[in-house]
Amino acid sequence: MKKELLGVIDATTYHEDLEDLLAHRALAALPFAGRYRIIDFVLSNMVNSGIRSVAIFPKMQYRSLMDHLGSGKNWDLNRKRDGLFFFPSPSVDFDGKKIGSFENFAANLDFFYRSTQEYSLISNCYTVFNMNFRSILEWHSNSKCDITEIHQKDGGSMEMYLIKTSLLIKLIETRNETGYTCMKDAVNDIQSLYTICNYEYDGYAVMIDSIENYFSTSMNLLQSDVWKKLFIKEQPIFTKVKDEPPTKYIKGSVVKNAMIANGCLISGSVENSIISRGVKIGKGAVIKNCIIMQKCVIEDNCILDSVILDKDVKVEAGTQLTGTAGSPFVVRKGTQQGALMNS
Amino acid sequence: MAKKKCVAMLLAGGKGSRLNSLTKDLAKPAVPFGGKYRIIDFALSNCANSGIDTVGVLTQYQPLLLNSYIGIGSAWDLDRKDGGVTVLPPYAESSEVKWYTGTASAIYQNLNYLKQYQPEYVLILSGDHIYKMNYESMLEYHIEKRADVTISLIEVPWDEASRFGIMDTDEELRIVDFDEKPANPKNNLASMGIYIFNWNILKEYLEMDDRVPESSHDFGKDVIPMLLEENKKLFAYPFKGYWKDVGTVQSLWEANMDLLREECDLDLFDHGWRIYSVNPNQPPQYISPAAVVKESLINEGCTIEGDIEKSVLFQGVTVGKGSTILESVIMPDAIIGNNCLIERAIVPSEVKVPDGTVIRSFDDEIILVTNEMLSGLYPAF
């Protein structure tokens, strides 16, 4: 029988540098690339790698994440056997900075015992990448390694770990004796009893941990070589389906170098920007170097440069908003921006 | 099985032969429309939005794609524990194989499907039409009029009237005459092919029709005239709004172009009445720095490097550098190379148009591009 992998996604992470975008949602549910949430990348990669059982460990503000994932149907994970599992943290005060917290896993040890998959892949939830995990499983199982940590080529840890499920259970159960609180502790112990290996991943991968890097990673999507590394026909990124119609370009619209999701009505001009589903851009409006999230309404003759509009933002006619690439102007979810409010 | 007030029967076996090569391998209801949809999405979405949760879909001609497209109906929220979508192909009985010879015979052969639900009313629909309609309102009207049968009616242009079933009504909108495709139509009030029958009437008359050897087993030609002859209560339900039978390449193109108008009669953006379809799950469309996009409808997964004007592009279409697409419909996953010119044409799914190809219509006729055409007729220059 083929070697099976269990997917474990740690969705407890919170990055303070992304605060403006995380007031209403978990980091895992951060909108990205016009129609995705950031967790879609790792989750789709798991599914595309043949993983049939995925456990997600969220912490706070997980309503948006649950709403997004639902039964797992969009990832083909609504299965009678295995499928998608959701394990919210039993306590609110544990440290969410460590990927693969054993304390958190321990509360759901039964799940690991019940899982039949020989290996487990433990991953963070905020990496933008398109990777097939089968090759690393092959590599790991042929090596003498006990734990493999995925590294970026010429870079640091990607906070993804491959380990035998039985060893993972052992690490969870012996956490008090070993002093290992998480996967990171286990791989960073130079006196470890286990063989720790690094696997170098030479594909495209960015871990989103600040507004600045969220903005620049988004803008890089407009380069077709980056785009092609992320959106591969044979390894699609799945997401929650919305029944939006195709985007309509209305007389007077000018669009250049942009990524535009479905359901938009565009009358103004858009350049170097990412526009999410269901956005309305009025006549004479100029949108440059912006990330506009779902269902925003930008009225006529607005001028926006280097701005991130979170979901459901309304920008009144004639408003001007300007940020910079290093420090984009961020407008929080559901708010309204008027012409007289910013000077 | 639980009793249902109203069950819909959706006739989706149409060949659509005037759509030429577009319907060579698929039934007319499966023909792509509007950048994202297939024609049958409109009737199925109308059912979902009208609260009708039990729909039998009758297929016959080229059913493979249609069957897999409909699946268990989840795209239209019609995957139900009780009811939902059931695809009903023709089947063999111990004595013979019975093809659906007409619209009435198709329903007649599936009376057992209907009997399971003991419906009070049966809604008969066609999968060939593009429109948004609340069937629940029509059912209320039917009940209010105490009708035996209600037929929805729309005013069509006089010169097209002979393509339809034409009705004559009295002031109360009771139907007094019905002519299927008359050579000289008396008026322009056309049947939309949407009927609500009281279940017992439907059953009785379909059984009666089956016993008439010379019948063509068609609702418009045989069953409705028979009901009128017996003085049953047939009422017309006037429908106002966008309704199109896209029977030809020209009308399919026109219906697509209708969507590009700023104030379009068929509002696809109305969240209160969404048109659902099977989602292709592709990344957002990418408009390159060199591209120009004007007055168009473009779906996800497209990569645009050329000029697009007044056109409808389905999911996964690629348009290369220096190419111009004007007043055209480009169906899913078609690839348009570099430096092409395509004007007033329909490019079917997955067709590859080589670099430098020029396709333009010099008369009013819309060109339906085919692979054969590309391999010979149009030299690259």
Side-chain angles (χ1 to χ4, degrees), chain B residues 48 51 69 111 132 146 165 176 206 267 279 292 294 296 341 356 375:
Chain B
Y69 185 72
L111 284 178
K132 286 162 57 169
R146 298 171 195 277
V176 291
L206 285 181
D267 184 5
N279 202 294
V292 177
K294 284 181 184 161
S296 294
L341 171 65
S375 60

Side-chain angles (χ1 to χ4, degrees), chain A residues 33-36 73-74 221-224 227 231 233 236-239 241-265 267 272 275 277-278 283 295, chain B residues 34-37 72 74-75 79 258-264 268-269 271 274-300 302-303 313 333:
Chain A
R35 68 191 290 264
Y36 304 96
K73 187 175 173 151
N74 289 308
L221 292 175
L222 297 171
Q223 296 168 18
S224 66
W227 169 260
F231 299 106
K233 207 169 186 183
I237 306 300
F238 301 101
T239 190
V241 165
K242 300 265 162 81
D243 289 276
E244 294 286 357
T247 277
K248 189 169 176 177
Y249 296 88
I250 297 158
K251 208 170 182 168
S253 73
V254 183
V255 180
K256 274 191 165 91
N257 200 30
M259 198 164 131
I260 299 181
N262 270 359
C264 297
L265 288 166
S267 309
N272 303 335
I275 314 289
R277 295 188 273 203
K283 287 199 193 316
K295 289 195 178 153
Chain B
K36 167 163 187 175
Y37 310 96
I72 57 167
S74 37
D79 51 334
D258 286 344
L259 297 172
L260 302 179
R261 278 194 237 124
E262 211 164 326
E263 295 299 325
C264 174
L268 298 174
F269 286 78
H271 283 182
R274 277 187 202 263
I275 303 304
Y276 302 109
S277 68
V278 175
N279 202 294
N281 202 357
Q282 296 201 21
Q285 54 197 270
Y286 172 64
I287 315 287
S288 89
V292 177
V293 178
K294 284 181 184 161
E295 290 176 78
S296 294
L297 197 63
I298 302 184
N299 199 18
E300 61 191 37
C302 288
T303 306
L313 272 61
D333 302 311

